[in-house]
Amino acid sequence: MALSRSARLGTLATAAASFLVIAAAPAPTAGAPGIGDPYFPQLGNGGFDARHYDLDIAYDPGTGRLDGRTTLTARATQDLSSFDLDLQQLEITKVEVDGRRAQFTRDGDEVTVTPRRALAEGREFTVSVTYGGIPEPLGGPIVFGSKYGWMKTADGVFVACEPNAASTWFPSSDHPADKATYDIRIKSPQGLTGVSNGRLVSTYDRGDSTYTHWRESRPMATYLATATIGKFDVQTGRTPGGTPIYVAIDPVLKNSNNVDVYAVTAAATDYWSQVFGPYPFEETGAIVDDMPEAGFSLEVQSKPAYSAVRNETTIVHELAHQWFGDSVSVDRWKDIWLNEGFATYAQWLWAEHQGTRSAHDSFLAAYNARPADAAFWQIKVADPQRDTMFASAVYQRGAMTLQALRERIGDKAFFRLLPAWTRLHRYGNADTADFVRLAERISGQQLDDLFDTWLFTTGKPTL
């Protein structure tokens, strides 16, 4: 059928407009070198969303050498000409994008990858990095002045990476706002056990090596990943509530722990499942390693890692993090009180549950222990600054905030709020403003004054 003259002109006009739109399309650009966190401007990366990490590592405790190949599956969030990864210290020998060699350059801890062809927005792609070297732990004021990250032990390695040390052992988008699922394969000398996140898929010996494969099928922040290797006594089973449990304890510590790690882990997992909502992961457990130089424990996803266990409150604190910090992660590090304040408050709830002290009395004890002129009261909990992000005020004043909130809105609303929070942001990220809005919605009260006093203002509040 022939087109009329007006129809032909309309078709030409439409084609011309389409041509202009195509011609005006912006050229692909480089992804940002950081995710935008003011505490760690270069951590995380722009231009893509991490979806899944496949880590394949081999560690030799004798030499301290780590060899690895990490394959990251990601989705481009813009038209990408290049993108960055975070990797500290280790030497890269090869980079591939979608199975084809790609160019890369390094500037400090930033690795810039340039694929052969630009990546279109919305496209899923893989980047594989082959690397090796001797990882070194980080140090400094951030984590209680101690070392953290990849820490060599007498028989292997203890891996606890909060906040910025995951990139000491694998290339990543190293920020909790960019969570992903994981497969982690560990090769170690025979006789040692590699323990990681999620559930154990397989383990076998070949030659003089032991191979373990772990899978974390729930989204996880990079700092929560571990590949702790050593001699361990392993106990497995299920909690009374039915959650699979895996507890690995260094035999050196067998008679030095003052607490039954397996029993307390099982009991706390089940109790927090009642108070905070369903347990968010496939397995619970613990990794207890002889690493006195670390001097801290970490809420490693599904299996908290302990450099030693001195009391059960440490266990209940780290297990509470499975909800507050692991499943619901901070959007920016300044909101760290949403992790540590909640886990500290969980210790107070545990004492209340055990009948040893009410949360109200724990609040008063923490409040009265510090005079008004103490430096403790000069930390602004809602933005504590990078080098003091783990100051005791973030933990204790954060917990005080929750008790003050509980006493303002009442138990009924408060214990509706906690599981509502973990349900609403399950496997995602949130910030302080999100929590304030939810607390006001559930309580039906205006709470600006309470949160301003306890989180955003320095000085000792008047009770």
Side-chain angles (χ1 to χ4, degrees), residues 372-397:
D373 60 354
F376 174 93
W377 299 108
Q378 299 310 308
I379 297 289
K380 187 182 297 185
V381 177
D383 191 2
Q385 304 306 304
R386 192 193 76 159
D387 287 354
T388 49
M389 60 188 283
F390 295 107
S392 62
V394 175
Y395 293 68
Q396 295 288 323
R397 188 166 177 168

Side-chain angles (χ1 to χ4, degrees), residues 5 27 68 85 148 159 240 246 278 317 319 321 330-331 361 369 384 431 434:
R5 181 174 181 274
L85 295 172
Y148 60 102
V159 184
Y246 182 107
H317 177 106
L319 285 172
H321 274 307
V330 294
D331 189 60
D361 286 345
D431 60 21
D434 293 324

Side-chain angles (χ1 to χ4, degrees), residues 320-385:
H321 274 307
Q322 302 302 302
W323 286 261
F324 305 104
D326 294 12
S327 178
V328 183
S329 301
V330 294
D331 189 60
R332 294 293 183 268
W333 278 113
K334 70 181 180 64
D335 294 305
I336 187 64
W337 86 275
L338 291 171
N339 296 5
E340 300 302 348
F342 278 68
T344 302
Y345 189 70
Q347 296 175 237
W348 299 0
L349 289 179
W350 184 258
E352 193 168 80
H353 170 62
Q354 298 288 85
T356 56
R357 185 160 72 170
S358 70
H360 174 79
D361 286 345
S362 294
F363 168 88
L364 289 179
Y367 180 86
N368 292 327
R370 299 165 175 90
D373 60 354
F376 174 93
W377 299 108
Q378 299 310 308
I379 297 289
K380 187 182 297 185
V381 177
D383 191 2
Q385 304 306 304

Side-chain angles (χ1 to χ4, degrees), residues 280-291:
F281 306 117
E282 291 182 285
E283 187 169 83
T284 188
I287 305 168
V288 187
D289 206 356
D290 183 26
M291 185 54 192

Side-chain angles (χ1 to χ4, degrees), residues 156-453:
V157 63
F158 179 73
V159 184
C161 296
E162 188 179 22
N164 62 328
S167 51
T168 62
W169 64 282
F170 69 96
S172 61
S173 179
D174 193 9
H175 192 278
D178 200 2
K179 300 164 80 168
T181 56
Y182 285 73
D183 277 280
I184 301 176
R185 297 172 175 84
I186 304 168
K187 176 187 175 184
S188 58
Q190 192 170 349
L192 302 184
T193 301
V195 187
S196 190
N197 312 86
R199 61 183 178 85
L200 182 62
V201 176
S202 65
T203 182
Y204 60 91
D205 294 331
R206 179 187 296 164
D208 58 358
S209 299
T210 296
Y211 297 80
T212 53
H213 175 193
W214 295 86
R215 176 170 295 152
E216 178 51 86
S217 60
R218 305 294 187 262
M220 179 168 70
T222 48
Y223 79 88
L224 298 170
T226 192
T228 292
I229 300 168
K231 295 178 181 177
F232 292 105
D233 293 331
V234 175
Q235 184 177 359
T236 63
R238 289 183 178 271
T239 71
T243 300
I245 181 172
Y246 182 107
V247 172
I249 300 179
D250 189 326
V252 171
L253 301 174
K254 185 173 184 179
N255 299 316
S256 63
N257 291 322
N258 299 320
V259 59
D260 186 334
V261 177
Y262 185 96
V264 175
T265 296
T269 297
D270 285 351
Y271 184 62
W272 295 146
S273 297
Q274 298 173 31
V275 179
F276 303 146
Y279 183 69
F281 306 117
E282 291 182 285
E283 187 169 83
T284 188
I287 305 168
V288 187
D289 206 356
D290 183 26
M291 185 54 192
E293 292 88 348
F296 68 93
S297 301
L298 179 66
E299 62 272 18
V300 164
Q301 188 158 306
S302 78
K303 294 176 191 66
Y306 306 92
S307 58
V309 177
R310 299 170 183 84
N311 52 59
E312 69 178 49
T313 59
T314 302
I315 298 174
V316 302
H317 177 106
E318 302 304 342
L319 285 172
H321 274 307
Q322 302 302 302
W323 286 261
F324 305 104
D326 294 12
S327 178
V328 183
S329 301
V330 294
D331 189 60
R332 294 293 183 268
W333 278 113
K334 70 181 180 64
D335 294 305
I336 187 64
W337 86 275
L338 291 171
N339 296 5
E340 300 302 348
F342 278 68
T344 302
Y345 189 70
Q347 296 175 237
W348 299 0
L349 289 179
W350 184 258
E352 193 168 80
H353 170 62
Q354 298 288 85
T356 56
R357 185 160 72 170
S358 70
H360 174 79
D361 286 345
S362 294
F363 168 88
L364 289 179
Y367 180 86
N368 292 327
R370 299 165 175 90
D373 60 354
F376 174 93
W377 299 108
Q378 299 310 308
I379 297 289
K380 187 182 297 185
V381 177
D383 191 2
Q385 304 306 304
R386 192 193 76 159
D387 287 354
T388 49
M389 60 188 283
F390 295 107
S392 62
V394 175
Y395 293 68
Q396 295 288 323
R397 188 166 177 168
M400 290 183 216
T401 302
L402 294 172
Q403 181 61 22
L405 175 64
R406 177 181 174 183
E407 296 186 14
R408 167 78 75 89
I409 68 176
D411 278 11
K412 184 177 180 180
F414 184 77
F415 287 106
R416 281 181 55 215
L417 171 63
L418 297 184
W421 174 251
T422 64
R423 182 177 62 252
L424 182 63
H425 299 288
R426 189 177 177 92
Y427 308 133
N429 300 82
D431 60 21
T432 299
D434 293 324
F435 183 72
V436 172
R437 280 192 296 269
L438 185 63
E440 290 184 335
R441 180 162 66 83
I442 286 180
S443 68
Q445 298 183 33
Q446 187 73 22
L447 300 170
D448 286 352
D449 62 320
L450 185 148
F451 288 110
D452 284 346
T453 296

